[in-house]
Amino acid sequence: MAIERIPRIRLRGVHDDSLFVVRGDELDASVLAEDASRFHERFIEWGRFGISAFQATNESEIDVICQTRLVRFASVVVFRRAHLEMVGVEIVPTFRRPHVTLCHEQLDELVTRLRRCEHRVLPNPYNVADDGM
């Protein structure tokens, strides 16, 4: 696979009404670090470590994201956009809406800030267990 230099960044920023950011799984430091490192390797010239997430404006949209985008995760983490911004995690609108990338220039800082940021962990009622088939 060819290395892409920077991720596809949408021209419009994160919508002002996007109150929440949703990430699949819990905030395990090693999983976050692996995901962010893989992102950095793929988009090396962008100079940031990144974690995939999705923006939502309300609880109903969180439900839709769980049902359509995050079915492989038994739980999801929900951040308030304002809390992420307060702890210094950049929210960049990448790829197709509602995808965003949570990023920082330093891997350890990204992981630490995400784990310390106020959040909720919710069970995903739409989780489809992977039985290896």
Side-chain angles (χ1 to χ4, degrees):
M1 169 171 45
I3 295 176
E4 301 169 51
R5 301 297 181 201
I6 60 171
R8 182 180 166 273
I9 299 172
R10 296 190 309 271
L11 295 178
R12 291 189 179 186
V14 175
H15 294 273
D16 289 339
D17 62 351
S18 292
L19 301 175
F20 303 102
V21 175
V22 186
R23 160 108 179 128
D25 216 354
E26 294 184 30
L27 296 178
D28 179 275
S30 62
V31 172
L32 290 172
E34 286 175 25
D35 287 353
S37 293
R38 240 187 333 270
F39 178 92
H40 186 264
E41 289 171 15
R42 182 173 178 193
F43 302 110
I44 192 94
E45 288 188 11
W46 199 41
R48 293 177 181 92
F49 290 87
I51 300 289
S52 287
F54 298 94
Q55 65 187 33
T57 59
N58 56 43
E59 298 292 329
S60 294
E61 284 189 10
I62 292 171
D63 190 64
V64 170
I65 289 168
C66 287
Q67 186 177 16
T68 60
R69 307 278 183 138
L70 299 174
V71 294
R72 68 186 179 116
F73 297 101
S75 61
V76 297
V77 177
V78 179
F79 298 98
R80 283 198 165 272
R81 175 186 176 179
H83 294 156
L84 287 166
E85 291 171 345
M86 279 192 299
V87 299
V89 172
E90 187 178 2
I91 305 168
V92 179
T94 51
F95 311 109
R96 292 182 182 210
R97 190 175 190 281
H99 190 276
V100 294
T101 300
L102 306 178
C103 56
H104 195 275
E105 293 174 355
Q106 297 176 7
L107 176 61
D108 293 340
E109 283 297 315
L110 176 61
V111 172
T112 299
R113 290 171 190 222
L114 286 173
R115 296 191 71 211
R116 289 187 180 161
C117 186
E118 186 175 323
H119 63 276
R120 296 180 288 155
V121 178
L122 305 174
N124 184 353
Y126 306 102
N127 175 243
V128 177
D130 181 11
D131 59 8
M133 292 184 163

